[in-house]
Amino acid sequence: MSTPVLPALVDVAWLRERLDDPSVVIVDATTHLPIPEEGPYVPESGAESYRAQHIPGAVFADLLTDFADAASAEPWTVPSSEQFASAASALGIGDGATVVVYDQLEGFWATRFWWHLRLEGFDAVTVLDGGLPAWKAAGAPVTDAESTLTPRVFSGKRRPELLRSTADVAAALDDPSTLLVNVLDEATYRGETTTYARQGHIPGSVNLPVFSIRDAETGDLRPVDELRREFEAAGLLDDGTTVVTYCGGGIAATGIAHALALVGRDDVAVYDGSMTAWANDPSLPLVTGAEPR
């Protein structure tokens, strides 16, 4: 495991002290995912929310367009490294920059961009604990003013070991050294909902709901020592084990990957297509109920 350039998580006080530092690039990665009463969900850009209010100096990363593969059947799919580098450079993300990512919601859009930057070989990135809600709760300023973009050269190199495709996951189903982690709620994991084309979970995967790692009242991550004990009990910190997280569409899965980085495990891979891709392929197996322990 590599040694991070800076902590994977910072608090409001840390960022307030650096608001005037030109090397710090603050990124709002907000995306909206309204859940309709009927029919599939339709994700929406967070650009309007960003324009209404954001941390002073923050730039907006559109995870639905600029940082996604438009040709993919699933939203948010990782684009080419060339597309990512171009979009990141335009926002001022690149050599010499320290990036602080936040969102205006549950924090998983921020961890998605954190993971995506690391996938593309950029380590100088951290997440603001609690995002914009924590920032505002602390009395820190927000603005609707347009931020100045200062392009930088992005020279990262992709780490393919942090990404998994459907074919990769299918090929590793019988690999005892690969631990698949489903981060959805227990009912969805067991197949008791109607969320996807087919219900259940990928065979052999354990369930660790991503919302369990956050304080229900504040939205902040729970104490790292508590998380470490839970991760150890689930076998996620075992030597020789490759951990692959997945969710519905590759977003919430990055929340567990980020939390694992906080306890020293920064080599977690994410299945990008997750259940959206897996359940849409009738040739792939699904399991309902709980996995035997």
Side-chain angles (χ1 to χ4, degrees):
M1 302 180 193
S2 60
T3 301
V5 174
L6 76 165
L9 190 73
V10 296
D11 60 17
V12 170
W14 187 98
L15 182 55
R16 289 187 81 162
E17 292 176 357
R18 295 164 175 81
L19 270 185
D20 297 325
D21 185 338
S23 70
V24 174
V25 179
I26 306 170
V27 178
D28 185 321
T30 301
T31 307
H32 296 288
L33 191 60
I35 307 299
E37 293 184 3
E38 297 182 2
Y41 59 76
V42 179
E44 299 173 357
S45 170
E48 185 174 342
S49 297
Y50 163 79
R51 284 192 291 267
Q53 60 174 351
H54 52 264
I55 295 174
V59 298
F60 177 69
D62 198 324
L63 305 191
L64 274 174
T65 57
D66 297 339
F67 293 96
D69 181 0
S72 174
E74 289 88 34
W76 314 298
T77 300
V78 167
S80 68
S81 293
E82 292 76 17
Q83 177 182 330
F84 185 93
S86 176
S89 296
L91 292 182
I93 300 172
D95 300 349
T98 296
V99 176
V100 182
V101 192
Y102 74 92
D103 65 44
Q104 302 189 21
L105 303 164
E106 297 91 353
F108 307 132
W109 304 103
T111 58
R112 169 69 181 197
F113 198 58
W114 166 88
W115 168 80
H116 204 161
L117 279 164
R118 294 195 66 255
L119 171 68
E120 297 300 342
F122 187 89
D123 285 323
V125 56
T126 187
V127 172
L128 177 64
D129 195 11
L132 191 66
W135 181 264
K136 293 169 64 177
V142 295
T143 183
D144 61 359
E146 186 174 349
S147 299
T148 300
L149 303 181
T150 305
R152 284 184 171 89
V153 175
F154 186 92
S155 58
K157 183 178 180 181
R158 177 170 288 188
R159 297 182 175 106
E161 67 273 13
L162 297 183
L163 178 66
R164 292 293 188 277
S165 66
T166 299
D168 294 331
V169 174
L173 285 182
D174 296 323
D175 180 2
S177 68
T178 297
L179 179 58
L180 291 171
V181 182
N182 179 308
V183 312
L184 299 171
D185 63 278
E186 185 177 1
T188 303
Y189 168 79
R190 289 173 173 265
E192 298 169 354
T193 65
T194 58
T195 307
Y196 303 103
R198 296 183 299 133
Q199 307 310 311
H201 58 268
I202 300 172
S205 55
V206 299
N207 184 217
L208 183 61
V210 71
F211 283 103
S212 70
I213 67 175
R214 293 185 176 275
D215 184 295
E217 293 185 2
T218 66
D220 294 345
L221 279 171
R222 290 167 47 211
V224 171
D225 288 344
E226 288 184 11
L227 296 178
R228 181 180 288 107
R229 288 193 293 271
E230 292 185 13
F231 294 156
E232 286 178 340
L236 304 185
L237 304 183
D238 293 352
D239 290 339
T241 297
T242 298
V243 176
V244 180
T245 61
Y246 74 97
C247 54
I251 303 300
T254 65
I256 294 295
H258 177 257
L260 281 163
L262 290 174
V263 303
R265 174 125 216 193
D266 63 356
D267 60 347
V268 175
V270 171
Y271 171 23
D272 202 30
S274 285
M275 279 293 293
T276 299
W278 190 274
N280 279 334
D281 187 338
S283 71
L284 296 173
L286 281 171
V287 175
T288 57
E291 291 282 345
R293 292 285 181 173

